[in-house]
Amino acid sequence: MTTPNDAKLDRIVAEARRSAEQRDQGYRERALKMYPWVCGRCAREFTRANLRELTVHHRNHNHSDNPPDGSNWELLCVYCHDNEHSRQADYTGVSALDAEDKPPAATSNPFADLKSLLGKRPPKDG
Ligand SMILES: [Zn+2]
Ligand SMILES: [Zn+2]
């Protein structure tokens, strides 16, 4: 059973989804119109035949930042694009790991053993 309200809601959801898809594909279309079909890293050239291997990279890694002048876009082949992102992941990964890797002071207290050693040591005879 479908009420008129449900049908209207379905249409709104469908339209919202479609416009989001168009927006995502929109920047790719625009970037491909704006820039020559050449990878910005390895200078590999592309044609319609292999155009799907040419991707649009966001220089600031923010995919919703799509200024109309294209200043946030860079055309990269899938390999260079992958490389670009793994480099970024490595960089942030290392610093995150570095921060996480430091154990809490309580578990790595170098004096904990010393203290127990001192406590166990028999008092010095006078
Ligand atoms: Zn490339
Ligand atoms: Zn990218």
Side-chain angles (χ1 to χ4, degrees), residues 39-44 46 75-81:
C39 173
R41 290 284 184 283
C42 69
R44 185 176 157 199
F46 289 82
L75 297 187
L76 297 177
C77 75
V78 287
Y79 305 105
C80 294
H81 198 170

Side-chain angles (χ1 to χ4, degrees), residues 56-58 61 63 81 85:
V56 180
H57 170 60
H58 290 77
H61 292 248
H63 282 210
H81 198 170
H85 279 257

Side-chain angles (χ1 to χ4, degrees), residues 8 18 73 85 99 101:
K8 194 180 169 191
R18 195 161 52 232
W73 300 330
H85 279 257
D101 215 24

Side-chain angles (χ1 to χ4, degrees), residues 7-123:
K8 194 180 169 191
L9 192 68
D10 280 353
R11 202 171 64 234
I12 290 170
V13 168
E15 276 169 17
R17 191 176 298 143
R18 195 161 52 232
S19 75
E21 281 168 10
Q22 279 171 356
R23 199 166 54 238
D24 281 356
Q25 289 173 356
Y27 73 71
R28 176 176 163 86
E29 294 296 312
R30 275 148 63 203
L32 289 175
K33 270 180 200 159
M34 189 175 294
Y35 294 111
W37 295 354
V38 175
C39 173
R41 290 284 184 283
C42 69
R44 185 176 157 199
E45 291 180 29
F46 289 82
T47 63
R48 288 230 169 262
N50 59 1
L51 192 60
R52 65 195 164 81
E53 290 174 42
L54 185 62
T55 60
V56 180
H57 170 60
H58 290 77
R59 290 173 189 271
N60 67 1
H61 292 248
N62 181 358
H63 282 210
S64 49
D65 188 3
N66 296 299
D69 66 353
S71 57
N72 192 34
W73 300 330
E74 190 174 20
L75 297 187
L76 297 177
C77 75
V78 287
Y79 305 105
C80 294
H81 198 170
D82 239 35
N83 203 33
E84 181 71 22
H85 279 257
S86 60
R87 204 161 53 95
Q88 191 77 9
D90 283 351
Y91 177 73
T92 55
V94 163
S95 59
L97 203 72
D98 199 33
E100 282 175 3
D101 215 24
K102 290 190 178 73
T107 60
S108 70
N109 187 349
F111 300 111
D113 279 349
L114 187 65
K115 203 172 167 186
S116 66
L117 278 175
L118 287 173
K120 278 174 192 160
R121 200 162 71 177

